[in-house]
Amino acid sequence: MATTGTDTDPPTVTADRAAALRDLLPPVTRRRTRVGLVSGGLGAYWPQFPGLLPKLKESAAYVAERFQAMDAEVTDVGFISDAQEGAAAAEQLRRADCDLIVLFLTTYLTSSMVLPIARRSHTPVLVVDLQPSERMDHADFDTGDWLAYCSQCSVPEVGNVFRRAGIPFRSVSGWLRQESAWRRVEQWIRAAHVRAALRHARHGLMGHLYPGMLDVSTDLTLLPATFGSHVEVLEFDDLRHRVEKVTEAETRERMALARKVFTLDDSVVDEDFEWGATVSVALDRLVADFGLDSLAYYHRGLDGELHERLGAGMILGASLLTARGTPAAGEYELRTSVAQLASQSIGAGGSFTEIQALNFEDGVVEMGHDGPAHLAVSARDPLLRGLGVYHGKRGWGVSVEFDVQHGPVTLLGLGQDADGGLSFVTSEGTVVPGPLLEIGNTTSRVDFGRDPGEWVDAWSATGVGHHWSLAVGHHSADFRAAASLLGIDHREV
């Protein structure tokens, strides 16, 4: 079933295509996103109103149950009633190495109880206050009943103290079983998936910069300094060494897999298909040996020599890697492979993309790219097409071609400013039907609801660079939240 992009149904890649790809290409297993949970209220109330604490713990148990059902590893440190217990909870959460900590305020509490949790954990915090029901029963409530509804009283206090302490403040307020409030909470969990993926990622960077693409150049210290991730510098000889060890049986097996995943066009030359399959097997080993979570690559090569053939033979294997959850980008596009990994982490695909042309009659921006693609975003079985020449690059071989499934999409790019700071740059549009090029590229016609030329001007002014990730569904709000957790800017067009 195609996704809608509505608040009630967080969009992901088409379910049946994703399931089919999982059967053929089992996804890689990575460290799960870790969420810390602590509930609390002011202990001075407990002796005054003996029935209050049991009610609040019932709410805390419901919240814990909801979090345990989410796609995350939850560390629940229980209920705190004073600053000393808050400090003890802070130490537990610090050791848990969480990607997000959730503070559930069950009634009023003092900011001194929760500030240590944010300060000592060095982890983004989300404040959640969900009163028991939509409203109080004023006629029958006494003070103890009311106190179960006054958690909102603490929210401005915590916000003030966090700001004074230089800690970003985030909150979700509502009532306990309010699904719209829980959808807002779940958005922060998706953002935590992005932070977890980027914080622990090992990004492979193989080859060299495409000559002249200054926007693609990335300071290798920037990703560890911004996200905490690692950049592993590789050479094409690392791949060559593994290609030499691939057996004929392994190549045949990979060709058989490719025939199940792709439709082969008549233009595919057997020798080129076999070479792409051999490189694909070696790529899998390269990723496994170096523990990579993403890969960006480029090598110019010369006159058909081996390194040129390696660079030209990457597309099949890189697309299969991307489909399994290890995104690959050509042209040495490290920041785009990071954006693809961010898209992948929330189940939205993420395919290597740039502008191809504008159609002013139909009001669309035509997008796509040669090279590796995310197969789960395809509207049909992807095609392997044989190309005698790669435009702008040396070499020849097989390339992946498909049109992106129709419906909502989000572009995510990583911009970089004069001070070196990174930003998430997003734009939401809709892929619509229409004529497409058949040149061995992924392609799509994206309607952004405005004049295509005006959109290009606004998009280019963000500092995004000329490549980005195309994800299925409308996810700008998710990436905005992720940028908050990562401590970087978010810009939306």
Side-chain angles (χ1 to χ4, degrees):
M1 175 179 175
T3 55
T4 63
T6 65
D7 290 338
T8 56
D9 184 15
T12 57
V13 297
T14 302
D16 54 354
R17 175 163 298 279
L21 285 172
R22 278 196 300 271
D23 290 339
L24 291 171
L25 306 168
V28 294
T29 301
R30 293 196 175 97
R31 170 192 178 277
R32 295 188 72 198
T33 300
R34 297 178 183 174
V35 175
L37 176 63
V38 56
S39 304
L42 186 62
Y45 295 148
W46 314 153
Q48 294 176 328
F49 307 98
L52 177 60
L53 183 57
K55 291 180 182 178
L56 301 181
K57 287 190 172 182
E58 284 182 14
S59 294
Y62 176 79
V63 168
E65 182 180 344
R66 291 290 298 250
F67 273 99
Q68 293 292 348
M70 295 181 187
D71 181 21
E73 179 182 313
V74 180
T75 298
D76 185 355
V77 299
F79 201 100
I80 61 173
S81 299
D82 54 37
Q84 290 85 354
E85 292 179 359
E91 182 60 21
Q92 288 181 264
L93 292 170
R94 183 190 65 79
R95 292 196 301 268
D97 187 29
C98 298
D99 302 296
L100 176 68
I101 291 174
V102 177
L103 302 174
F104 175 45
L105 311 185
T106 64
T107 184
Y108 175 79
L109 51 68
T110 64
S111 49
S112 66
M113 296 170 56
V114 297
L115 180 59
I117 293 172
R119 286 296 300 271
R120 299 180 190 181
S121 65
H122 301 290
T123 299
V125 171
L126 173 66
V127 174
V128 173
D129 68 279
L130 302 173
Q131 66 185 36
S133 66
E134 293 174 276
R135 64 176 180 85
M136 293 188 293
D137 184 354
H138 297 78
D140 294 329
F141 270 29
D142 60 18
T143 303
D145 295 316
W146 156 64
L147 286 172
Y149 282 73
C150 79
S151 56
Q152 292 86 355
C153 182
S154 297
V155 179
E157 177 178 340
V158 174
N160 171 276
V161 172
F162 275 24
R163 179 176 286 270
R164 291 163 68 180
I167 298 169
F169 176 75
R170 312 163 188 89
S171 66
V172 172
S173 298
W175 57 281
L176 198 60
R177 288 171 170 78
Q178 182 185 1
E179 289 306 314
S180 59
W182 279 106
R183 285 195 295 273
R184 288 154 59 201
V185 171
E186 289 163 357
Q187 183 175 87
W188 286 107
I189 300 301
R190 290 194 295 275
H193 290 330
V194 177
R195 181 174 188 260
L198 300 192
R199 190 161 70 99
H200 295 277
R202 290 175 54 84
H203 303 290
L205 189 60
M206 184 171 69
H208 61 81
L209 185 71
Y210 188 107
M213 285 187 183
L214 302 182
D215 64 317
V216 169
S217 177
T218 301
D219 175 4
L220 300 191
T221 308
L222 192 58
L223 296 186
T226 303
F227 304 133
S229 49
H230 171 77
V231 179
E232 184 73 17
V233 177
L234 305 170
E235 298 181 1
F236 261 78
D237 284 323
D238 292 312
L239 179 61
R240 174 191 58 78
H241 176 69
R242 288 163 176 80
V243 164
E244 292 169 353
K245 296 181 180 299
V246 176
T247 67
E248 291 184 8
E250 289 171 328
T251 296
R252 288 195 299 272
E253 183 180 354
R254 185 55 51 95
M255 293 171 73
L257 172 64
R259 288 189 178 95
K260 294 177 182 178
V261 174
F262 298 93
T263 297
L264 268 64
D265 186 73
D266 292 340
S267 59
V268 172
V269 176
D270 290 343
E271 180 184 354
D272 295 340
F273 182 31
E274 182 179 346
W275 176 247
T278 300
V279 174
S280 175
V281 174
L283 269 176
D284 284 1
R285 289 180 180 162
L286 180 81
V287 166
D289 290 346
F290 286 96
L292 303 181
D293 298 295
S294 76
L295 177 65
Y297 67 90
Y298 176 75
H299 185 80
R300 181 171 56 188
L302 182 66
D303 294 337
E305 53 86 28
L306 179 57
H307 292 83
E308 180 186 280
R309 292 291 288 138
L310 287 170
M314 294 280 292
I315 295 174
L316 170 60
S319 296
L320 293 175
L321 278 174
T322 301
R324 292 187 60 217
T326 303
E331 298 180 8
Y332 213 61
E333 247 296 14
L334 175 59
R335 295 203 308 279
T336 296
S337 63
V338 173
Q340 290 175 263
L341 182 60
S343 303
Q344 182 91 46
S345 69
I346 61 171
S351 201
F352 187 37
T353 306
E354 67 182 0
I355 298 171
Q356 291 179 322
L358 305 182
N359 185 323
F360 289 94
E361 286 188 1
D362 296 342
V364 298
V365 180
E366 297 187 33
M367 292 188 179
H369 209 287
D370 62 339
H374 198 306
L375 307 181
V377 306
S378 175
R380 54 183 167 85
D381 288 343
L383 181 76
L384 275 186
R385 183 181 293 278
L387 296 178
V389 62
Y390 292 151
H391 70 273
K393 303 179 183 69
R394 301 192 65 88
W396 65 92
V398 294
S399 188
V400 173
E401 176 181 304
F402 62 72
D403 54 306
V404 176
Q405 61 189 255
H406 301 162
V409 292
T410 303
L411 312 184
L412 172 65
L414 261 69
Q416 187 171 358
D417 295 335
D419 64 359
L422 294 175
S423 60
F424 272 0
V425 185
T426 63
S427 188
E428 294 180 344
T430 303
V431 173
V432 296
L436 298 167
L437 294 172
E438 297 180 354
I439 58 172
N441 285 201
T442 60
T443 55
S444 58
R445 293 160 44 92
V446 188
D447 183 352
F448 292 101
R450 63 191 299 184
D451 177 85
E454 292 179 1
W455 180 87
V456 170
D457 292 340
W459 181 246
S460 302
T462 63
V464 68
H466 81 283
H467 299 121
W468 46 84
S469 168
L470 183 147
V472 176
H474 283 167
H475 291 283
S476 277
D478 295 333
F479 294 130
R480 183 186 306 112
S484 171
L485 298 188
L486 292 165
I488 62 176
D489 288 342
H490 172 258
R491 297 163 190 167
E492 184 174 4
V493 173

